[in-house]
Amino acid sequence: MRITVRLFATFRKGRFDAQIREVPPGTTVARVVEEVNLPGKEIGIVLVNSRHAGLSKVLADGDTLAIFPLVGGG
Amino acid sequence: MEDLRTFLAACARGDLLPWAGQAAAAERFHRTVGSVEEEALELGLMPARYQRNRRTISTAEQLKLFRSRVVIVGAGGLGGYVVEELARLGVGTLVVADPDTFEEHNLNRQLLASSTNLGAPKAEAAAERVGTINPAVRVVPLRSSFARENGAALLSGADAAVDALDTVTARVELARACREAGVPMVHGAIAGWYGQMATQMPGEDITPFIYPPGREAKGVETKLGNPAFTPAVVASLQVAEVCKILLGQGRCLQRRMLFLNLLEMEFEEVPIASGAAPGDPG
């Protein structure tokens, strides 16, 4: 199945802004995070089709996954 | 004794009250410049310092701002600009809480930091700065960190609170205290070229969305630091939100969060659902 992965801010460096990826059915958000080699401790907001999701969320064909880094400075 | 109102009317130029008149009235009638400001605004006189606000903020609205109390939690990068702008806007009472003192590495971005006040408490510096730009504004400096125990006392009587903190943990606590106190809160956070902001109105809970449970206490700012302009941008957005909250105008950034990318000049709106919060921790 095909999903679109959108990365934000620092996560784009050395990776991509948006990418269509072919993944096997049953793929979770956590699996994609691992595949694109995102540092787990830096992950903030995760959206699947503009809805907030956890890392264990199972993706479906056509989903758009958006991942933002955690921002907390003041 | 001459009546204060007569004196103010005599000092006025049209419906503007020049600062010299406001200061003279305070001295003559043994009042604070703040109480003279309130009296003038009640009379329909706009202190002349606010004259360029006029197409945006009416005299009646200026009085509303003067009678407002805003709590700014954190007087660092974001907080310094927030204090500055709220003081220039003419918000009457600013409670500024920060336990820290200025260090050299604050100088690249913190408005209240200067080469002459290194080592000085940030909350006190806020009071000092406001005293020089708008003495009608009362600053309550608190050299304390925000914690669950002092949250209710800190927020007492507040019309709005500004989250200018620097850890996820403290931000979550502040949002909780604001919910419990029914105080609107404007969240802002920064890291390098990036920032985010959102407004939590009474009855709402934005934290599970902006900081899902299980996340780290600090974000990518630990790696990126913060340059001069990011706090200024995010703080200004926060102040615009506070101004609208105090005046009951416009539309706030509710049920959505703005994620700013100043490196690529992209502004992404992240929806904050009113329904169920996201599930498992990261």
Side-chain angles (χ1 to χ4, degrees):
Chain A
M1 64 180 193
R2 274 184 165 192
I3 59 161
T4 303
V5 180
R6 296 181 69 204
L7 300 179
F8 289 86
T10 46
F11 290 165
R12 290 178 175 177
K13 202 170 178 188
R15 297 185 188 87
F16 51 86
D17 290 12
Q19 194 180 66
I20 294 170
R21 296 177 74 91
E22 195 71 44
V23 294
T27 298
T28 59
V29 172
R31 177 75 195 138
V32 177
V33 164
E34 207 176 299
E35 274 181 20
V36 301
N37 198 25
L38 290 175
K41 287 186 164 206
E42 292 181 10
I43 290 174
I45 292 167
V46 175
L47 302 174
V48 175
N49 304 328
S50 301
R51 294 180 69 91
H52 292 258
L55 295 183
S56 60
K57 165 92 175 168
V58 176
L59 298 164
D61 187 39
D63 277 353
T64 296
L65 169 63
I67 309 170
F68 296 78
L70 190 69
V71 170
Chain B
M1 195 177 99
E2 195 185 2
D3 176 58
L4 170 62
R5 292 192 166 205
T6 316
F7 184 85
L8 290 176
C11 290
R13 302 278 176 273
D15 63 351
L16 292 179
L17 174 65
W19 173 248
Q22 187 172 343
E27 185 156 350
R28 186 166 181 148
F29 296 95
H30 309 289
R31 305 274 290 261
T32 63
V33 283
S35 83
V36 172
E37 181 151 317
E38 186 169 15
E39 194 92 22
L41 288 165
E42 280 172 6
L43 268 178
L45 295 176
M46 180 77 108
R49 66 164 59 238
Y50 304 121
Q51 61 189 291
R52 296 293 160 87
N53 283 354
R54 301 203 77 176
R55 295 282 166 131
T56 311
I57 296 163
S58 69
T59 306
E61 288 165 345
Q62 195 68 54
L63 178 59
K64 209 168 181 182
L65 292 179
F66 184 81
R67 288 179 173 159
S68 297
R69 180 185 181 95
V70 176
V71 178
I72 300 109
V73 189
L78 292 170
Y81 284 100
V82 169
V83 167
E84 174 88 6
E85 292 180 21
L86 290 175
R88 289 188 189 272
L89 196 56
V91 172
T93 306
L94 304 177
V95 179
V96 183
D98 197 310
D100 294 337
T101 53
F102 286 113
E103 295 180 59
E104 191 167 352
H105 58 80
N106 299 146
L107 285 167
N108 79 322
R109 68 191 185 287
Q110 300 194 10
L111 183 70
L112 299 171
S114 75
S115 50
T116 59
N117 72 2
L118 298 180
K122 294 183 178 183
E124 297 293 340
E128 211 169 288
R129 170 87 183 168
V130 172
T132 65
I133 56 176
N134 193 352
V137 171
R138 190 168 72 97
V139 175
V140 182
L142 299 172
R143 239 187 120 173
S144 53
S145 27
F146 183 85
R148 194 178 292 195
E149 303 74 50
N150 66 2
L154 193 67
L155 294 169
S156 161
D159 298 292
V162 178
D163 169 11
L165 285 156
D166 61 358
T167 69
V168 171
T169 338
R171 291 171 183 286
V172 170
E173 281 302 325
L174 175 62
R176 176 212 298 267
C178 286
R179 276 198 307 283
E180 287 172 0
V183 173
M185 182 198 80
V186 182
H187 160 77
I190 52 173
W193 293 91
Y194 315 102
Q196 62 182 46
M197 69 140 312
T199 294
Q200 173 181 286
M201 289 303 220
E204 296 177 345
D205 184 4
I206 62 171
T207 42
F209 299 99
I210 61 174
Y211 295 122
R215 294 301 192 265
E216 297 291 310
K218 294 240 181 195
V220 287
E221 64 279 0
T222 51
K223 210 162 73 179
L224 305 175
N226 287 302
F229 44 82
T230 317
V233 171
V234 174
S236 295
L237 294 173
Q238 290 181 284
V239 172
E241 290 288 277
V242 170
C243 184
K244 289 183 291 182
I245 290 167
L246 300 180
L247 297 179
Q249 284 187 358
R251 193 158 65 101
C252 284
L253 196 70
Q254 271 178 278
R255 290 175 294 279
R256 55 212 164 105
M257 185 195 87
L258 191 62
F259 191 92
L260 299 89
N261 174 344
L262 302 179
L263 185 60
E264 288 150 303
M265 272 310 163
E266 287 180 14
F267 301 87
E268 183 83 13
E269 260 193 29
V270 174
I272 293 178
S274 46
D280 64 291

